[in-house]
Every structure is written in C-alpha cells, then in structure tokens.
Amino acid sequence: MSRIALTAAAQPRAWGVWLLPLLAWFVGLGSPPLFDVDEGAFSEATRELLASGDWLSTWLLGVPRYDKPILIYWLQALAVAALGLHEWALRLPSALAAVGWGWAVWAFARQRWGAATAERALWIVATALGPWIIARAATADALLNLWLTLACLDLWRFFEHGQRQPLWRVYLWVGLGLLTKGPVAALIPAAAGTLHGLLARDARRWRQAAFDPLGWLILLAVAAPWYLAMLLTHGQAFVEGFILRHNVQRFTGTLEGHGGHALYYLVALPLLLLPWSAALPAVLARLRADLRQPLARYLWLWAGFVLLFFSLSGTKLPHYVLYGATPLMLLLAQHLPALRAPWLLLAVAPMALWPWLPTLLVALGARSADPYYAAQLALAQTLAPAHYGPLTWGALGLACAVALARHWPAWRRLQALAALQALLLGAVVAPWFGDVLQGAVRHAGTLVRQAQVSAVLWRFDAPSFAVYAQAITPRREPEPGEWALTRLDRRPDVPHTVLYQRGGVVLLRRDR
C-alpha cells in the first residue's frame, strides 16, 4: 500500500480518537444553570468586572473578592465579551483548558509509549467523572490542572534530557498557575521535582531546576505584576483575605464547613476516576515494578504527594485530589490492556444509577432535615423531561451489551462505556439535575431583570441570582418595596408578598 493510502486509512481513526473526547467536553456545556456557590461566585465576579471596567481587582456582590487570582476572570470576561453573558461562554475557558490538558497528556504519552497508549490517556482525561465535571464548570480548577500538568510533564522532560527549554516552560506554567489559583501551582511541581531528585540522588539536576535565573525572571514577569498591584491597591486586606484566609487557613483549618476524615481522598479518588477506576487494580498490581522505573516513580511521587498533602489539609473538597490525578491517568493508560473483564461491573454500576436518580432524589428529600433541600429534591421526578427515562434505560441496556461483548478487549469495552456515560451525563442528566437544584434561581433572576427592579439576597447564598438578574444583589435585609430572594425556611416575619416560588426558592417583595 502506498504512503498516501496508509495516511488516508489512518485518518478516520485519528478523527475518531479526537471527536468523542471533544463531544464529551462540549455536549450540553451551556444547558445546566450555573451551580451555586462556586460557579455563581466566579460568574458574578466576572460580570461585575465587565460592568465596572476594573480588570485588576475582583468584586462579588459589590464586595472585594480575594478568593482566587485574576486569570480565570480575565478569560471568562473575554469569552462573555465575545459571545454574550450565558452559561456556555462562562464555562468555555474551562472546556478549552480541558482540551489543552488532554492534548498535553496525549502528546507526552505518545512520545514515550506510542499512539495506542496516548489515545487511552486522552480518553481517560476526557471522560473520567472528576475531570469531566471540572472541565464543564465556570471555576478555576480545569485551568489550574492544565498548568499543573504542563509544568510537571515539562519538569520530567528536563530531568530526562537536561534541556533548558522545557525547564523555562515550567516556570512559565507555574507563573500562570500563580495567576490562576495561587501557591499550590508552585507547591506541587516543586514537591514532585524535589522528591524525584532525592530518590534519584541527582542533586545537581535538582539545583539546576530549582535555581534557574532565566526561569525565575519568566515566573516573576508573569505573576509578580498582578500580585504587586493588588498589594499596592488593597494592602493588608489582600494579605489577610487571599494569603492568610484562602491559603494558610484553608490548609490549617476547615473553611466553610468543608472538612472530612483523613481517608476522605482514598474514597473520593476512585469515584472521581469512574469508570476508569475499574483498571486501578491493574495499576496497583504494578506498583512495585513501577517504583523501579524513573518515569513511573516520578508519576507516583506526584500523585502520592497530592494525596498526602490534601489528606492532611483541614479543608477538603473532592476536586483538590484531581491535582494529582493526571499521573494516575497516565499510569492507567499504560496498564489498561491488563484490565480483567469482571472489573467492568464497576463501570456499568454507575449507569444503573441514572434511571433511578429522580426517584432516589425524591426519597432523599423526604428524609432530609433541611427544609430547603427537601423542597428542592421533591421536584426531581416532576422536572424530569419525558425523554429522561427512555434514554437512561436505553443507555443502561447498551452498557450491559457492551460489557458482555467478549469479542472486544476489556479495555475497549471500558472505553465505550466511558464515552456512553460522558455523553449521557452531558446531554441528559446534567441539564435535568441542574434544573432541579438551580432552575428556580435562574428563573427568579430572569424575572428581576425583566421587571428592572432592584433585589437583594436575604439569608440565601446564591450569587448566580445576580448573574441572571444582571445586577449586583447585596446580601442584606430588603427595604420596603424591594425584592428579595430567600429560602422557604428563612422567609421573614415582616409583611411581604410572594412573587415566585418553586421548591425551596422564594422571590418576594417586602411590603413595609
């Protein structure tokens, strides 16, 4: 066969490798409403940035917001300015960051283990549950994972060959990470590199990596101007809000009630890697052999540091452990052909959940001690669209057929199951689930915008309401005649008129 014919024959396969991961990231991206609190807070801060023209500082509901650095807000603002204020534009930077994340993993794996392993790595990044969620969220996490992945993979390229160009890129990615989420962007590559240097007994290469003069100039040129400007503009308030509260206190204490057991992430990590966690036994079986190989050992050190560090942290959120998921996904891609068919049950089991989820949410609501969530979840079956049942049951049947298709290798069946789950979640489950939890907030905000009245948030932390109202909605008690969004269980004793109510969400007007 000629070279041209070979290229043509390979082309459809190349398209197939990339097409379904892209669909996983983008199908239904803008369908669910913004989820509070995180998506609502990031999105409203971006809206206020555009409304005020202040591209240096971030504000939320008219109050300075020091939670995260500026880069994600800049990217969201550019997307909104170009495409309009809606969920798709606000989530687009995260989806594009995920594309870059997947491409970086694919390129790294292809250079070292070949096209087949690279394909598997790309699919794992695109369809594993945790990465899939943050890739479709208007928050900073997908962007941070892109910079962490690029930094740690380029750091290995430097350790591997000693070339300066990958090292200088490491400093660039860390600088961009510092502009995205702060010190954690430097901590993880530094820890992975230091642990590798210690175990490899290569102090010379470690010193070259840690103290490169041009690298430090690049990092400072990227990150220092914004931090210096914030210090000059906000002074001690920025130090206390960003450095002390959202970095130091987040590790030493429990912020906003997000605590957990020391084994929290040992449970969370396999769930976040579903359905690919079915292959974790194959990876763990190779652990001892991997630790004798320099690259595999480096990947385990990266993943292990993240797992240990955040397990010791006082504040625990599921997505923190994803900062160390990329090396595990690369190891999964390597060892996936050793997957045994019985482990596919772990991949099919979540598919069995989706048809029953409306019923389960109603049952959970009936048992909930929180009146607000009880009222929200009680609507789960009512809000399920007519196609929800047929599509989720059909997907379950197809998943069972795929799992039993013995003429396919087990890992190919897992790949098909992952694609099926990602597409089902994006097109069917996430839009419905978003409507259950947040649809009423979106509708209430739209009513305020259409009525062109002022409104406030009263005993209710739902910043997405301000995005849909397209106006700052302060957190305070309403004045007579003013509209307010509140919870069913927090309605005031003062005279008021209910203007809209669905589930636990109440939009009212204070009468006097």
Side-chain angles (χ1 to χ4, degrees):
M1 187 180 289
S2 70
R3 183 176 179 180
I4 294 176
L6 282 169
T7 302
Q11 195 65 26
R13 178 176 173 80
W15 274 103
V17 168
W18 283 97
L19 181 58
L20 272 174
L22 286 173
L23 288 175
W25 282 314
F26 287 98
V27 165
L29 181 65
S31 298
L34 297 169
F35 287 90
D36 285 315
V37 175
D38 287 350
E39 275 200 304
F42 276 93
S43 300
E44 172 56 14
T46 294
R47 191 200 66 79
E48 291 182 34
L49 181 153
L50 284 167
S52 67
D54 180 359
W55 287 69
L56 173 65
S57 308
T58 52
W59 299 75
L60 178 61
L61 305 178
V63 177
R65 173 176 167 83
Y66 300 123
D67 295 40
K68 300 296 181 290
I70 196 67
L71 185 56
I72 186 61
Y73 303 104
W74 284 346
L75 296 179
Q76 287 183 340
L78 291 173
V80 169
L83 302 172
L85 182 64
H86 46 72
E87 295 91 347
W88 201 90
L90 288 162
R91 291 172 177 145
L92 180 60
S94 291
L96 292 177
V99 172
W101 182 8
W103 178 86
V105 168
W106 175 85
F108 185 86
R110 190 173 186 274
Q111 291 167 352
R112 282 149 189 84
W113 305 307
T117 302
E119 175 192 338
R120 296 193 292 268
L122 171 63
W123 276 69
I124 294 170
V125 175
T127 58
L129 183 60
W132 182 88
I133 290 172
I134 65 169
R136 302 163 61 86
T139 63
D141 294 293
L143 188 61
L144 176 63
N145 269 282
L146 170 62
W147 306 136
L148 287 173
T149 297
L150 290 169
C152 290
L153 296 184
D154 270 335
L155 185 58
W156 174 256
R157 290 185 177 101
F158 170 73
F159 283 134
E160 192 174 43
H161 299 299
Q163 296 175 343
R164 293 288 181 171
Q165 288 83 355
L167 180 60
W168 294 333
R169 291 199 302 267
V170 172
Y171 282 90
L172 172 62
W173 308 137
V174 169
L176 291 169
L178 291 172
L179 283 180
T180 300
K181 209 160 184 179
V184 69
L187 174 66
I188 292 173
T194 299
L195 291 171
H196 170 76
L198 288 172
L199 291 181
R201 298 180 180 178
D202 191 351
R204 177 175 173 274
R205 187 63 58 87
W206 178 85
R207 285 195 299 271
Q208 290 175 336
F211 302 108
D212 186 86
L214 180 56
W216 277 101
L217 284 175
I218 292 171
L219 186 152
L220 292 173
V222 170
W226 180 79
Y227 279 90
L228 181 59
M230 288 294 288
L231 283 171
L232 293 175
T233 303
H234 298 280
Q236 187 63 24
F238 174 70
V239 174
E240 292 177 358
F242 177 70
I243 301 296
L244 297 181
R245 175 173 169 76
H246 287 285
N247 285 278
V248 176
Q249 290 181 27
R250 191 170 290 274
F251 180 79
T252 58
T254 300
L255 283 189
E256 299 162 352
H258 297 304
H261 192 272
L263 301 180
Y264 177 95
Y265 288 116
L266 287 177
V267 177
L269 185 58
L271 296 176
L272 293 170
L273 290 176
L274 283 171
W276 300 97
S277 46
L280 278 176
V283 174
L284 293 172
R286 292 278 304 172
L287 175 59
R288 181 174 295 181
D290 280 346
L291 294 178
R292 292 193 292 267
Q293 302 296 323
L295 174 53
R297 183 173 64 237
Y298 174 77
L299 295 175
W300 278 110
L301 290 172
W302 173 4
F305 172 77
V306 171
L307 182 63
L308 178 61
F309 179 80
F310 286 104
S311 293
L312 296 175
S313 173
T315 302
K316 291 181 173 65
L317 286 167
H319 61 267
Y320 289 171
V321 78
L322 291 178
Y323 305 154
T326 297
L328 286 179
M329 291 189 282
L330 283 164
L331 292 165
L332 281 168
Q334 276 190 283
H335 302 315
L336 201 55
L339 173 69
R340 295 181 179 274
W343 288 105
L344 289 174
L345 290 174
L346 284 177
V348 176
M351 301 292 294
L353 172 66
W354 309 128
W356 295 101
L357 194 56
T359 303
L360 290 172
L361 291 184
V362 171
L364 286 173
R367 293 172 175 267
S368 175
D370 188 316
Y372 170 74
Y373 284 106
Q376 292 295 95
L377 297 180
L379 298 174
Q381 282 182 310
T382 304
L383 294 175
H387 62 263
Y388 183 91
L391 287 179
T392 52
W393 281 110
L396 176 59
L398 182 57
C400 292
V402 168
L404 296 172
R406 298 183 179 233
H407 59 283
W408 281 2
W411 75 267
R412 280 292 185 191
R413 284 180 268 169
L414 182 57
Q415 184 181 47
L417 291 170
L420 181 61
Q421 175 177 276
L423 295 177
L424 179 70
L425 289 175
V428 180
V429 177
W432 157 77
F433 186 67
D435 190 31
V436 171
L437 290 186
Q438 294 288 148
V441 175
R442 175 165 63 180
H443 190 197
T446 302
L447 291 175
V448 168
R449 185 180 75 248
Q450 292 172 345
Q452 297 183 347
V453 296
S454 65
V456 299
L457 288 168
W458 196 0
R459 307 170 185 169
F460 191 16
D461 194 8
S464 69
F465 175 67
V467 180
Y468 295 116
Q470 295 188 17
I472 294 173
T473 54
R475 296 185 180 100
R476 60 171 174 79
E477 183 175 335
E479 302 291 334
E482 198 169 32
W483 292 21
L485 189 76
T486 190
R487 291 171 35 146
L488 176 69
D489 55 329
R490 297 176 183 174
R491 286 172 57 177
D493 294 331
V494 300
H496 63 273
T497 301
V498 173
L499 304 171
Y500 168 74
Q501 179 176 347
R502 196 185 85 177
V505 175
V506 179
L507 180 66
L508 57 84
R509 181 186 62 241
R510 180 171 179 176
D511 294 334
R512 59 180 172 82

